[in-house]
Amino acid sequence: MAWYYGTYSCGHEGRVNIIGPTKDRQWKADRHFGRMCPECYEKWKEEERDRKSLEASEKSKEMELPELAGTEKQVKWAVTLRISAIESMLKMIDRIKDSVMVEYGDGSRERMDKAELAEAVDYGCMAHTDARFWIDRRSEMHETLVIFAREYLKKKRDEEIPADVMEEMLDEDSRLTVAPENPSKAGIVRLSESNSGSLEARYVRDDDFLGFMKEKGFRWNGSAWGKAIDEFTGAIDDRAAEIGNALLANGYTVMFYSDRTRQMAISGCFEEESGRWIKWNAKRQMFAICWDGYNDTLYQAARKLPGAAWRDGCMMVPAEFYRELDDFAETMGFRYSKRARMEEKRKADETNGYRKADVREPDRKKQTDEERLRKVLESSRTIIEDLKDEA
């Protein structure tokens, strides 16, 4: 590490602390001083921002774009970012051959041609007048175009709905929305069932909500946080009520997709998701005891089952010990998968089909050597010469 002194391209002198191999230091120093000094560079950047902002403001007026809301510095930067975003999105649209398929928020899809996408950009620019919107998405041009396309499609859908029907739908949304007594989060979490039958949750970008969704087993699918519903998760209404109940308890306002799930969430009357399962491992032809997370108590209890062995993240138990496994499952609160129940019944039927026999045990009483010898002597008239008493 050493200090190098020199003159910047702007004429100001300065010094720089350079580390690394000695043979490279002079080259790094020459490169460093080939630029403007830090003060001049910052001044130049500010002048460039002002110049670009002025150009963007002029273009915004020509394009008749709405004024942005925010602080003076935010608006000054966002005006430039908006023009750059519009140009980037129009270039993307220009590269499209004919049309693209755009997915609605509810999972359905619709094809949009280049003209409709361009209209979507216009609609998005008129709808989003918050400077923060453009600042937050300054590096997400593709995602911004997708947002505009979805909003444009939603607008078209809403325009096709008669006013009285729309009013009725809004009343229903209001009826299905529940707020906690002391809400701590703005906005509404919307729960819905997708076309594929999974549970979906939608909310504004929020780090707390993101962490909450991951903790509850939800995954981002590109348009919403989704949770696949299967045998091991339980019914979708139970999962919607459970997540809705937890969100309300954490200060979120929630819109449910049905009266039933709303009432279940409020009352707490739902079957909680189980993380403890007895499954069937077809490859090993054994039962697999599976649970979520680390639990030494469960491990030690499962390890005591006959023939138990830890394999593939589960405790494997041979099928012939299904009775002992039943006792364990009932004691520790485990549920059986459908396949595991089927294999248990099959094993029970197989066991009941074994041939029954009344087995007689052999006489376990053994004769001593003295008893054997006496028996021989008593049964024979001949006296063994070696055994005669001496005279």
Side-chain angles (χ1 to χ4, degrees):
M1 178 167 49
W3 287 100
Y4 283 75
Y5 295 81
T7 303
Y8 292 99
S9 62
C10 57
H12 294 118
E13 294 184 349
R15 67 174 187 168
V16 60
N17 195 5
I18 297 178
I19 61 174
T22 304
K23 62 182 180 65
D24 295 334
R25 292 183 182 179
Q26 187 59 54
W27 172 79
K28 291 182 178 179
D30 293 341
R31 187 180 177 199
H32 176 79
F33 289 113
R35 301 191 291 260
M36 289 184 284
C37 71
E39 291 79 7
C40 289
Y41 180 65
E42 285 300 320
K43 183 179 179 182
W44 175 81
K45 283 201 304 182
E46 183 64 28
E47 291 173 351
E48 278 294 292
R49 281 195 291 266
D50 290 342
R51 182 183 62 80
K52 290 181 179 179
S53 179
L54 183 59
E55 290 180 358
S57 296
E58 293 299 323
K59 286 187 178 180
S60 297
K61 291 178 182 178
E62 292 176 9
M63 298 170 68
E64 297 183 350
L65 294 172
E67 293 184 1
L68 296 178
T71 65
E72 182 180 349
K73 290 183 178 180
Q74 288 175 351
V75 171
K76 187 176 180 180
W77 189 23
V79 167
T80 305
L81 293 174
R82 180 174 61 177
I83 291 296
S84 177
I86 293 172
E87 292 174 349
S88 296
M89 288 187 285
L90 292 179
K91 286 180 181 178
M92 290 181 198
I93 295 171
D94 191 54
R95 288 195 293 269
I96 295 172
K97 187 175 181 180
D98 293 309
S99 61
V100 293
M101 192 70 75
V102 177
E103 185 177 287
Y104 283 96
D106 60 7
S108 59
R109 306 173 76 190
E110 185 171 328
R111 187 167 292 281
M112 294 182 70
D113 59 28
K114 298 171 73 169
E116 288 178 313
L117 287 170
E119 288 181 18
V121 172
D122 290 345
Y123 176 75
C125 289
M126 297 301 294
H128 294 280
T129 58
D130 185 359
R132 284 291 301 272
F133 176 87
W134 301 97
I135 294 173
D136 290 342
R137 290 161 182 78
R138 61 188 180 278
S139 301
E140 303 174 356
M141 297 304 99
H142 180 269
E143 290 80 358
T144 303
L145 179 58
V146 172
I147 290 172
F148 288 173
R150 287 175 178 164
E151 291 176 344
Y152 178 77
L153 290 176
K154 183 180 183 304
K155 178 182 75 76
K156 284 182 60 179
R157 275 187 171 185
D158 292 344
E159 288 175 348
E160 296 170 358
I161 302 174
D164 56 341
V165 176
M166 176 62 75
E167 184 178 352
E168 186 179 277
M169 291 171 64
L170 291 174
D171 288 342
E172 184 180 18
D173 288 347
S174 177
R175 179 170 49 83
L176 295 175
T177 303
V178 181
E181 290 186 358
N182 298 303
S184 59
K185 290 288 187 177
I188 301 173
V189 179
R190 289 172 168 79
L191 301 180
S192 61
E193 182 178 0
S194 71
N195 290 339
S196 61
S198 64
L199 177 62
E200 293 186 337
R202 290 175 175 81
Y203 188 60
V204 296
R205 182 177 297 182
D206 177 79
D207 289 339
D208 292 337
F209 181 75
L210 184 149
F212 195 79
M213 288 293 101
K214 289 183 177 179
E215 179 186 342
K216 297 298 182 180
F218 283 70
R219 297 291 180 268
W220 180 251
N221 61 22
S223 62
W225 287 94
K227 185 180 182 70
I229 301 299
D230 56 25
E231 175 187 358
F232 302 107
T233 62
I236 187 171
D237 283 354
D238 286 312
R239 297 293 66 76
E242 184 175 26
I243 192 67
N245 178 279
L247 286 166
L248 288 167
N250 282 272
Y252 290 88
T253 298
V254 182
M255 179 189 291
F256 296 86
Y257 59 81
S258 69
D259 273 326
R260 182 170 185 269
T261 54
R262 177 181 62 82
Q263 292 168 2
M264 289 167 64
I266 295 173
S267 65
C269 296
F270 50 82
E271 186 174 351
E272 294 186 41
E273 185 173 1
S274 175
R276 301 183 177 190
W277 287 92
I278 306 295
K279 301 180 181 180
W280 177 252
N281 188 300
K283 180 180 179 180
R284 297 181 183 275
Q285 291 293 294
M286 301 173 76
F287 289 107
I289 307 175
C290 310
W291 62 85
D292 293 337
Y294 173 81
N295 192 318
D296 188 61
T297 302
L298 285 181
Y299 177 85
Q300 296 300 335
R303 190 72 182 82
K304 293 178 182 178
L305 289 168
W310 185 261
R311 299 286 186 276
D312 304 327
C314 298
M315 191 68 75
M316 300 293 175
V317 178
E320 57 263 34
F321 300 114
Y322 66 91
R323 292 191 182 91
E324 292 83 354
L325 184 60
D326 254 348
D327 293 338
F328 169 86
E330 183 176 354
T331 302
M332 306 308 292
F334 278 76
R335 300 179 187 176
Y336 279 78
S337 69
K338 293 178 182 178
R339 179 65 188 276
R341 277 299 187 197
M342 183 180 71
E343 292 297 333
E344 180 194 36
K345 183 179 184 304
R346 186 185 64 80
K347 192 62 182 178
D349 291 343
E350 179 184 311
T351 302
N352 292 333
Y354 291 161
R355 178 177 295 179
K356 305 296 189 295
D358 184 12
V359 181
R360 296 181 181 180
E361 295 186 14
D363 186 1
R364 300 298 183 186
K365 185 178 180 181
K366 294 184 179 180
Q367 292 179 318
T368 64
D369 292 337
E370 289 80 1
E371 289 174 334
R372 290 194 183 97
L373 183 57
R374 185 180 299 111
K375 186 176 181 180
V376 171
L377 293 176
E378 291 174 353
S379 64
S380 176
R381 297 178 181 179
T382 304
I383 300 177
I384 302 175
E385 292 294 329
D386 293 342
L387 300 177
K388 290 182 179 179
D389 292 333
E390 293 182 1

